[in-house]
Structures are given as structure tokens and as C-alpha cells.
Amino acid sequence: MATVIHPQNPLLHLRSFSSPSTFFPSKPKTHHLPTSTATATATQHLLSLSEPQQRPPLVSSGPLNYSSSSLIDVDVDIDIDIDRFFGLLRLSVRSGDLSLARAVHASIVKLQEDRDTHLGNPLISAYIKLGHVFGAYKVFTGLSSPNVVSFTALISGFAKSSRQQEAIELFFRMTSEGIQPNEHSFVAILTACIRMFELELGSQVHALVVKMGYLDSVFVANAIMGLYGKFNSSFDYVLKLFDGMPQRDITSWNTVISSMAKEFKYQKAFDLFRDMKRNNAFRLDYFTISTLLIACTGSFSSMEGRALHAHAFRIGLEANLSVNNVLIGFYTKCGSVKDVETVFQRMAVRDIITWTGMIVSYMAFGLVGLAVEIFDKMPEKNCVSYSALLAGFCKNGQAMKVLDLFVKMVEEGLVLTDFTLTSVINACGLLMDTKLSEQIQGFVMKFGFGSNAHIEASLLDMWTRCGKMVNAEKMFHQRVSDQENPIIWTSMICGYARNGQPEDAIYLFQSSQSEGTMVADEVALTSIFGVCGTLGFHEMGKQIHCHALKTGFSSDLGVGNSLISMYFKCYNMSDAIKAFNVMPSHDIVSWNGLIAGHLLFRQGDEALNVWSRMENANIKPDTVSFVLIISAYRVTNSNLVDRCRKLFLSIKTVYGFEPTSEHYASFVSVLGHWGFLEEAEEVINNIPFEPKASVWRALLDCCRTHLNTSIGKRVLKHILSMEPQDPSTYVLVSNLYSALGRWHNSEMVREDMRQRGFRKHPSQSWIILQNKLHSFYARDKSHPQEKDIYSGLEILILECQKAEYVPDTSFVLHEVEEQQKKNFLFYHSAKLAATYGLLTTRHGQPIRIMKNIVVCGDCHTFLKHVSVVTKREIFLRDASGFHCFVNGQCSCKDYW
């Protein structure tokens, strides 16, 4: 379409106005609405009135004898007809009767008054309100001289009926014909800009508004604020416009509060709300309450949200559907399941959003059965309802239910959306089933969803979760040139990190930045901060943090959460806490990150202090919170088992969550750590479901620590009788057989593991020097300085043996001779990494080592001796947390 410049306003680029045929390629179908008795009678009367013989004569058939009285009588007759038309049009709109409006239109045509704006404009307005834009356009084209009211009514109609492009072109046609827009015209064109996300054109309209002096109009200013509020980069303009308004209405306040909430400026939204309350001229409406409740949900402001709920009752909004739907979401995040159910049960009117919200809520609380019940009871379902159920199954780890529901949807011919398929693909990733993943990928490709960016990224993520990095890399390289799908880069980076290839993740990120193939947005930054944390790559993490600050992404909630985790994992507690404190808002992930960071440093009491802060601030915990807090009682300075018992019981009785295997494993670990082994065994025996191997493993570790062989044997027997379902259980069972000398059984388990497509991640340790990662595996000889490292390690072993280090060959799970077991021990990856660090750093400088699994007992003992022999501090982070070796002691106190 050609672009022209408006002769009176060169700043405003006008697009050529299309012919009427571009508006309506074909006449839309007529929808006949039910007609009431009153409107039917009115229609019949109108049709009889419009017949020529029924119309009162304007002049007598006798001599042309005009008097003033006769002229007055004629005018009165015409005015009576016109007033009647106006009344009938209002009746047609009130009753939604399109046929009545058409009858009025027909009568006006017969009276030959249809080219006059006096009757034409109300007719256009009536058709627009009845949703009959085609009829409105026909009236408009029949007007002899449409005025600003005619144009504005049709522009508004186009803007509100998904014909925004026509609305814009009609506005330009109006101005090109010399008709000056009024305040309603500007509201109509700005509505079109808002719905088309046309910021550039909207800004030009803003300039025209200023030039013509309409900025003082409350309606126009509200529309401009609504435009800028749609764009993240423009919310400052919203505040400026609002502050400069000489007069405001409730829409003005709602618009500015909504814009602040959308930008996560929750405190500013609350401040504006308080300012609004001080101005008694405004009464809160449902939109104000709903927007503020969304802000409370986003900022986890439980007290403020409950106060708003009470205020909604006081002003008579307790039955408002929109408010109640938002309350369900609020109490899901900031309340209990009982709060949610109370809101739902009190609702006299419910819609599909209400029912779907209840599905999401029950799934969030882990109450999958109740979510399914709600789904089954829904009077009507749509694709969003199905997606909510599928996503809920995934969230609760019930991947098979996702697939069962998906099969049912396909069989019944239901609509499959991007969200539907993404949940199904994620379920395959959770199952880590290669054959099933291949079938799902084939289905996606067959039905033409393969080119969708989000589905492509999900497929790649699925293969990385299945451990099939060859498939993932193949898919990545096929799409790597696609500039339209930067998400796939992020998925590949996460895949490398997940599969123990963090150096590949860093390399890919650096390549993407140097080649400009991936925009480092909030999603990418969150992922790469996670990788830096996994690697302990502190310097790179700080550099990327600077990039986030420059680009403005540091205020993003997800980025802030990943920063907290990254700094904690890089042994930088002060910057982690600072990152938490400067965040504009926090969610439960932020608080969980703070607790998890203290646990990494084995600071249980500090973690419990954070928990107290959460309780005082009425922050609602999630299931992860409870796993972390229970674990904190294991690393407190004193025995607080009684408090831990009360907390564990409150998970269900107070917070409404059903404890999972993860919660039981943490609780058993706490009981076992403090010597309550019999109670821990009893807790496991009373679990109302079949616990995962991790629960028994927690008790077994405690039995080993306390040298309790009687309970240990029972636990061992139970674990060996379990059917492994995941790689970690396979490895555990295989290692236990090896420790018992049952080598044949161990090899059978490993063979079964290989046939299932599972693989054990080998033990790996690494050290970062001068921004370069140096990685080591057991007996690894791939490093360029391999000879120096092995020579240095042999000297180090001899010195440690002089300091009474004795190798513990019980940690070698191979059927070999004793001396060979010692050789295996001496060249574990942690020892190689420590030696390289000692060789390449200055005397007195601490050594920082990262390890992907828990350090073995022999390496732990060896590093304690190394700290004495070399007089160096050695920091090691393994899967259990940080170890600080100083003068022959470890910060973990030999419990890890």
C-alpha cells in the first residue's frame, strides 16, 4: 500500500485509502436475533407507517394556500416521525434486535432522508452497537456529506471489530478531506493503534493531539496512556501523561495502575492506589480491584491482597465475576487451597475462566485428583482448559496422564494448540523414553507443527532430557541458521548444561554473541546465569551481569532469581544477598533461592531465619520451599528435631500440600543425622504410597554415618528388591551390589540400564583459571600438562601419606586387586583438579574446585591432608554443598 504525506501535518504519514471492496470482500451472513413482542409490534407499525399512502400529506391537495400555521404543522409532523425513528433505534439497540434497526433503515430510505447525517449518523451508531459493521458502512457510503460524527462512528466501529487497518485508513481519508477530528475521533484511532500494537503511528497521533489542543481531554489522554501502557519501553510516558493531566477520571487511575503492575512496578501501583483513595471523588470499580489483586499476586503481597478482598466486599463487588476469577489466582499463589475453595463455592456465576482457574489452582497445590474432578464437571471446555490440565500433569510429574489425555484428544478430534503439544513433548522429556519421543516428534512433523519456534525448542529440550545429545545437536544444526528462532539457542545451551557439558554451553553462548545469532534477552540470560552457576564461572557471570544491567534486563524477576543462585554457587554470598535485596519484587523462587544458597554453605540457622522472614511477610511457600526448610534442620548448630517434626506435619494440616518422596527423604535425613534412626525407619514404613529409592537412600547414608548395621541391612535389602525406574536408582543398586562383592548382579543391573537407554554421568571435577575451564575425569590423561599433573600428584600423595593419610579402598567399586584399587583412588578427578590448581596458582592463593557429584570419602580425607601439607585453603563444591578445607579440617564437619 502506498504511503502519502498529509499536507497539513508532515509528521503524520498517511496511508492510501482503499476502495470499499477491500473492507468487505463478501457480504457477511445475517444473524437474526430473537425479537421481543414489543420490538416486533414496533417493526410492523414502522413498516406500515413507511408506506407512501399511510404517510400524512405535507400539503393539502387543494389550492396552494400556505400559512405560518400550516408550515408549523408540517414541521411538527416530520419531527414526530424523526423522534419516533430515534426512539425505535434506541429500542433496537437495547433489545439487540437487528431486524428492527433494518426496518427503521428501510423507512428512512423510503422517506428519502437516508442521505442526511441527522438520521444517518444515529443509524450508523445503532448498526455499530448491534455488531453490523457492514450495515453501518452502507449507510455511511450513502451519506451526501458525511461529517466528523459519521467518520468517527465508523472508525470506532472498525477499530472494535478487528478491522483496525480500515479504521486507520478511514481516519486518514477524513483528515485528507479537510474534516478536523474531534476528541472522539482521536479516541477511536488510538483504539485501533492499541489493538494493532502500532506504537509509531500512535506516537504520531499523539503529536497531532498536542498540536490540535486535545491533550486536556480526559478521554483522549486516557487513550494515549492506554497506548503507551501496551509497550514495555514506554511506561515512563504513561506516568508523565498522568502527572500532567489537569483532570482525571476512574479510567485514568485504572490505566496508570495497570501499566505499573504490568511492568512489575508493584510498589508504585500500590502507591498510586493509596493516592487514589485519598481522593474521595473516585469510587473503585471491578477493574481497579482486579488489577491490584494481580499486583498482589505478582509481588506475593498476601496482607494487601486480603485487604483488597475485604474492600471489594464493602463496596459491593463480592459477586463480580472478574474480581472472583482474579481472587482464585491470588489465593493460589498467596493463600491456601481452603481460601481458593471458599471463593469458588461462593460464586453464584462462573465462566470457563473460573473453572480453568480451579484446575490450575488444584494442580499448583499438588491435588491432581481434585483438578481432574473439576475438569470433568466443567459445563464447557476449550483448548485452554485442556492445556491447563496437561500442564498440571507435567508440573506434578505425571507424564503418563499427559499422554493418555493427549491420545483421547486426538481420537475425539479436538483442537491441538502449541500449548497442548508443548506439554506432551515435555512429558516425553520427563519419561526419558526414546521410542516414545521419536513417535511424538513424528506426529508433530506429520501434522505441520514442526516449524513452530516454541515447539521446535521443546523438541530439542526433549532430546536433551532423554540424554540423546546427538539428536539434539542434529536438530540444532538444521535450525541454526534460522534467525526467526533464537529460542532454540537457549534450549541447546540448557541441554549442554543439563547433560554435564557446561563448557559446551559457555562456548555456544559466546559464539552466539560474537556472531549476533542470539539476542541475550531475559530467557537467555536466565539460562546462561544458570550455566555460570553450575560451572562456578564467577568472572564470566559478573561480566554477563554487567550486560544485563546495561540492557535493563537485571530488573526482570527470572534474571534476578538466576543471579542469586549464580552468585551463591560461585561462593559469593555477599553479592547473592545483594542481588536479592535490590530486586524490585520477589516471588517464591527468589525466597527459595535465598534459602538454598544458605544450605549450600551449610548454614541451617540462617536458612531458618529466612523462613521466619517469609512467615512474617505472609509469603506462601511451595513444595520446594518445604524440601529446603526441612533440609535446613540437618545443618543447624543445635538439635531442632522437634521443630522439624512440627513443620513436617504442617505441610498437610496447615498448608494443604501432600508430602512427596522428596519431603520424606529430607525428613528422614534430618532424623537420621541427629541419631533417630528407628523413628526414621518407622516414618518410611508408614508412608501412604510406595516411596522412591531416594527415601531409603537417605536412611542408608545415615546408617553408614552412625555405623548402624542392623537397620542398614534391612534398608539395603529393601533397596535391592526395588525395580529401578530412573538412572539414579540404577546406579545406586549397582553400586550397592559392588560394595557387597556381588559383581555379577552389579553388571546385570548396568546392562539393563544400558538397554533402557540410561547412562551414568561420569564423575568430573574442574577448576577455572584465567577464564578458562580445565576439566578432569578419573585417570584422565587428556590435559596438555598431564605429565606435570601426574608427577605433582605422586609427590603430593607421598607427602600426605607421611602425614598419616591412608587410602580407603572401600570406595573402589571394581573387582580388582587391592593395589589396583589404590591406583584407582589416587587418580580420582578431584585429586587431579586439586593438583593442577596447586601447580598453577601462587603460594597462599586458595584453590577452588567444582565437582558434578558428591565427593567420595577418600578424596575428602585426602584434601584435608593436602590443606595441612601445602598450607593452602581448598574450596570444593560438590552436589551436597561447599567444603572448606583448612588445617586438616572441613567446614562440613565430615557430614555430607
Side-chain angles (χ1 to χ4, degrees), residues 115-348:
R115 296 182 62 79
D116 183 9
T117 56
H118 185 53
L119 283 173
N121 289 346
L123 195 54
I124 292 172
S125 178
Y127 274 138
I128 292 295
K129 290 173 182 176
L130 289 166
H132 189 43
V133 184
F134 180 74
Y137 181 72
K138 282 184 68 177
V139 175
F140 177 83
T141 54
L143 294 175
S144 56
S145 298
N147 58 18
V148 66
V149 178
S150 320
F151 275 100
T152 299
L154 193 58
I155 291 168
S156 179
F158 282 148
K160 294 175 181 177
S161 58
S162 302
R163 294 185 175 274
Q164 291 85 17
Q165 183 63 41
E166 289 93 330
I168 291 170
E169 292 171 353
L170 190 59
F171 179 82
F172 293 157
R173 173 180 157 185
M174 177 181 74
T175 56
S176 67
E177 291 180 5
I179 299 174
Q180 294 291 322
N182 60 20
E183 59 181 352
H184 302 290
S185 312
F186 283 120
V187 171
I189 188 61
L190 286 166
T191 300
C193 292
I194 289 169
R195 297 194 176 195
M196 289 185 70
F197 291 91
E198 271 278 6
L199 178 60
E200 183 180 356
L201 180 60
S203 300
Q204 294 173 358
V205 173
H206 181 188
L208 189 60
V209 166
V210 173
K211 180 179 179 181
M212 295 184 65
Y214 281 106
L215 194 58
D216 287 344
S217 166
V218 176
F219 306 115
V220 176
N222 288 345
I224 297 173
M225 285 197 297
L227 170 76
Y228 289 131
K230 288 285 183 181
F231 299 89
N232 296 339
S233 59
S234 303
F235 75 94
D236 283 339
Y237 292 119
V238 178
L239 279 175
K240 288 178 182 177
L241 279 163
F242 181 78
D243 291 338
M245 290 178 73
Q247 288 183 316
R248 299 165 182 155
D249 62 7
I250 185 64
T251 304
S252 315
W253 288 96
N254 284 344
T255 302
V256 71
I257 290 171
S258 175
S259 297
M260 294 306 105
K262 181 188 171 190
E263 279 298 306
F264 312 114
K265 306 287 184 182
Y266 300 127
Q267 191 55 52
K268 181 64 177 175
F270 295 140
D271 290 342
L272 285 163
F273 170 58
R274 282 185 279 272
D275 291 342
M276 179 184 174
K277 283 178 70 178
R278 282 191 285 269
N279 189 335
N280 293 325
F282 299 107
R283 185 175 183 272
L284 274 66
D285 62 8
Y286 79 93
F287 189 88
T288 322
I289 296 290
S290 300
T291 301
L292 287 165
L293 282 170
I294 291 169
C296 292
T297 306
S299 59
F300 286 84
S301 302
S302 177
M303 293 298 290
E304 289 86 345
R306 290 178 186 274
L308 278 167
H309 188 181
H311 190 80
F313 263 77
R314 285 196 297 273
I315 63 176
L317 291 174
E318 69 275 8
N320 183 272
L321 181 61
S322 176
V323 170
N324 282 318
N325 284 342
V326 177
L327 278 170
I328 289 173
F330 165 72
Y331 283 122
T332 300
K333 285 282 185 73
C334 304
S336 65
V337 67
K338 186 176 180 181
D339 294 324
V340 175
E341 289 174 337
T342 301
V343 173
F344 181 74
Q345 288 162 6
R346 287 179 177 173
M347 293 176 69

Side-chain angles (χ1 to χ4, degrees), residues 120 222 267 344 442 449 454 461 469-470 505 552 624 632 640 665 673 778 792 828 846:
N222 288 345
Q267 191 55 52
F344 181 74
F449 290 99
H454 294 282
D461 185 73
M469 293 304 293
V470 173
V624 176
L640 300 175
H673 175 79
H828 274 189

Side-chain angles (χ1 to χ4, degrees), residues 2 69 218 299 339 404 418 459 651 797:
S69 59
V218 176
S299 59
D339 294 324
D404 291 341
D418 302 353
L459 284 169
I651 294 175
I797 291 168

Side-chain angles (χ1 to χ4, degrees), residues 35 81 191 327 366 368 536 647 783 824 863 867:
T35 305
D81 285 350
T191 300
L327 278 170
V368 178
L647 175 68
H783 197 278
F824 281 161
L863 291 174
S867 70

